[in-house]
Amino acid sequence: MEVKLNDLKIGVYGKDGVGKTAMIFQFINKWVYEEYDPTIDDFYKQQMNINNKNYLLDIHDTVEQDEYTAIREISIKQEEGFMIVYSIDSRESFDSISLFREVICKVQNSEKFPLVIVGNKSDLESQRKVSFQELSDLAGIFSVPFFEVSAKNKQNLNEAFFKLVEEVEKSRAQSQDSQSKKDGRKKGICLMM
């Protein structure tokens, strides 16, 4: 018997050096990616069961550089869920969250889309430059879930990715519900004529 997989494309965005690749490696492979090797748009596939549903996650590990803007826009159009990552020891990476969100909004042509904000490197508490309260406040402004995680010790990592999958499922359900209502109204109009 073949298992039905739900394809789900997600993009992981953020400034270079915040640990996006390390997070993805730890989530998928269950091991820590220790070296910093700048990513040039990588894609990872992972089959997993989340909330008793089988998924084929297609995770896009993005690059920050401007010369990859065209690639980024094509990817954003195809992705259903987004994770914007900053590092708790970098004020600059936190301040860039709104810019990444703005790019996604523009390409998606919507203010509302499945998004989770993640503060990585929570194991570097002594080097913290961004408070948890600041993360909470920003996530509240955007009305999105948020997590502080550690790719190194795996703290809250699965929870962040699982929450993003849940947000995509919620969005899919709302879209189907909205489409059903539109179809119902169309049928009603046709029947009245």
Side-chain angles (χ1 to χ4, degrees), residues 8-185:
L8 199 154
K9 291 178 187 274
I10 60 176
V12 182
Y13 294 84
K15 292 195 78 59
D16 291 342
V18 297
K20 299 181 300 284
T21 302
M23 286 174 46
I24 294 167
F25 267 70
Q26 180 67 282
F27 176 65
I28 291 176
N29 301 315
K30 314 293 187 246
W31 57 273
V32 181
Y33 185 83
E34 293 285 345
E35 297 175 24
Y36 177 65
D37 183 19
T39 300
I40 302 178
D41 265 19
D42 288 329
F43 294 86
Y44 302 92
K45 290 190 184 287
Q46 178 66 27
Q47 189 174 329
M48 60 180 33
N49 186 289
I50 302 173
N51 295 334
N52 296 318
K53 208 168 184 181
N54 294 307
Y55 290 93
L56 178 60
L57 299 182
D58 191 353
I59 303 173
H60 180 199
D61 186 4
T62 65
V63 67
E64 176 191 4
Q65 283 90 358
D66 288 337
E67 59 264 28
Y68 297 101
T69 302
I71 295 170
R72 183 184 309 142
E73 288 185 11
I74 292 168
S75 295
I76 290 172
K77 286 179 184 176
Q78 297 172 349
E79 292 161 354
E80 291 183 86
F82 303 89
M83 184 176 283
I84 301 177
V85 182
Y86 73 96
S87 178
I88 71 159
D89 68 341
S90 168
R91 168 64 54 187
E92 182 185 1
S93 68
F94 179 77
D95 291 343
S96 72
I97 293 171
S98 294
L99 296 174
F100 282 102
R101 184 182 174 277
E102 191 177 303
V103 168
I104 297 167
C105 285
K106 183 180 174 188
V107 176
Q108 286 275 316
N109 198 27
S110 175
E111 286 282 320
K112 189 94 172 110
F113 48 85
L115 171 65
V116 172
I117 299 175
V118 174
N120 190 24
K121 303 184 184 180
S122 63
D123 52 288
L124 299 179
E125 182 62 38
S126 65
Q127 298 168 38
R128 180 184 286 276
K129 302 275 190 302
V130 180
S131 73
F132 184 79
Q133 188 61 51
E134 289 174 282
L135 168 59
S136 176
D137 291 347
L138 184 63
I141 290 168
F142 297 143
S143 299
V144 298
F146 61 95
F147 293 86
E148 279 193 351
V149 308
S150 170
K152 187 173 186 177
N153 66 27
K154 207 176 173 186
Q155 175 192 7
N156 291 330
L157 194 58
N158 286 354
E159 292 82 353
F161 278 97
F162 291 176
K163 185 63 176 177
L164 182 54
V165 170
E166 288 176 15
E167 292 296 303
V168 171
E169 284 294 348
K170 257 198 292 189
S171 178
R172 285 176 173 178
Q174 289 169 349
S175 291
Q176 286 177 340
D177 192 37
S178 175
Q179 188 60 43
S180 294
K181 287 178 182 173
K182 284 180 185 175
D183 291 346
R185 284 195 294 264

